[in-house]
Amino acid sequence: MKKVLLASACLFALAAPASAADLAARPYTKAPVAPMASVYNWTGFYLGIVGGGAWENASGDPKMKGGFVGGTAGYNWQTGNVVFGLEADGAWADVSASAAGTVFVPGVGGIPASLTSKTDAMGTVRGRIGYAVNNVLFYGTGGYAWIDNKLTATLGAASVSDSKWHSGWTVGAGIEAFFAPQWSVKGEYLYRSLGGETYFSGAIPTGTLNLHTVQVGVNYHFGAPVVAKY
C-alpha cells in the first residue's frame, strides 16, 4: 500500500507543473484613462464685432430709434470664478427722429419745415464684473457713453445742420459664452444717458437723451483660454 501511495504522489507531483503550464496567461488590462475636462480661463485680450438696435426712452413720438454696428476691444482678469474686465466699443449708427410741420410767413404763406436729429456714431468705455461658470460668463457693466449727433433744420428748399458730441453714462448687464476655442458670443443690454447740448449757436438747446440699446457680439480671444484638466 505504501508503494502505491508513493507512486501516486510522484505522479501527481510530475503532473502539477504541466497542468500549470497549460493554463492560459491572464490578459493584461490597461487602467482606464480619466476623462479630460475643458476648463475655460477668461483672462486675456480680445477683439470683436458688435451690432444692435437703439430706441429713445420717451413716451411719445417722434422718438429716436435705429441700428448700429461696430467693433469692440477689451481685456479680462479672472480670479477663481470672478472675472473683472475693461471694454471699449465704437459703432457707426443710424438712430434718428424727425418732426415736420408748416411755418407761415406773412406775405408768403405756409412753408414746409422739418427738424431731424440723427446719431451717426456711438460708443462706450466700460468696466465689467461677472461670475464665470466654466465657458459661460454672467456680468454687469457700466461706465462712460458718447454719441455724435447732428440736427438738420429745413425750411422749404433751404437747410442747415449742426453736429454736437454728447457725453454721459451707461449701465447694463449681459451674458457671454465660448462656443469654440478662442471664440465667444454675447448678448447685452445697456441703458445710456447722454447730456444735453445747444445747437445753432444757442438757438436750439436739447435736453438729456436717454437710450435703450440691445446688442449682440462675437469676440476672438487671444492666447489660450481653454485649459485641459484631468
Side-chain angles (χ1 to χ4, degrees):
M1 190 66 177
K2 284 185 177 180
K3 292 181 179 181
V4 173
L5 292 176
L6 183 60
S8 299
C10 292
L11 182 62
F12 179 78
L14 292 172
S19 298
D22 291 339
L23 292 176
R26 183 179 178 184
Y28 172 74
T29 304
K30 188 177 180 181
V33 178
M36 184 179 69
S38 295
V39 177
Y40 285 76
N41 182 0
W42 288 83
T43 298
F45 179 71
Y46 60 91
L47 292 174
I49 58 173
V50 65
W55 64 97
E56 187 178 358
N57 183 33
S59 56
D61 286 321
K63 58 184 176 183
M64 296 183 70
K65 54 187 176 182
F68 57 91
V69 63
T72 302
Y75 193 90
N76 290 320
W77 298 266
Q78 182 171 354
T79 173
N81 291 95
V82 179
V83 177
F84 302 91
L86 183 64
E87 182 174 286
D89 61 65
W92 295 276
D94 185 3
V95 181
S96 62
S98 295
T102 302
V103 174
F104 288 91
V105 178
V108 177
I111 300 176
S114 66
L115 182 65
T116 299
S117 177
K118 181 181 179 182
T119 295
D120 298 308
M122 61 198 307
T124 66
V125 178
R126 295 174 281 119
R128 301 201 310 173
I129 182 170
Y131 187 85
V133 183
N134 200 12
N135 67 317
V136 180
L137 176 65
F138 303 89
Y139 63 89
T141 182
Y144 170 74
W146 61 268
I147 63 170
D148 185 13
N149 195 68
K150 180 170 68 175
L151 281 187
T152 301
T154 301
L155 181 63
S159 66
V160 291
S161 297
D162 190 15
S163 296
K164 296 292 182 181
W165 182 281
H166 294 247
S167 294
W169 55 268
T170 183
V171 65
I175 180 172
E176 186 172 358
F178 279 102
F179 63 88
Q182 297 181 276
W183 289 96
S184 68
V185 62
K186 73 175 182 180
E188 191 172 66
Y189 165 79
L190 293 177
Y191 181 84
R192 313 181 193 215
S193 183
L194 294 312
E197 293 290 339
T198 302
Y199 289 78
F200 303 112
S201 301
I204 302 180
T206 68
T208 301
L209 174 62
N210 298 313
L211 294 174
H212 300 283
T213 62
V214 175
Q215 56 197 46
V216 295
V218 176
N219 293 326
Y220 178 83
H221 298 254
F222 293 86
V226 182
V227 179
K229 184 177 181 181
Y230 292 91

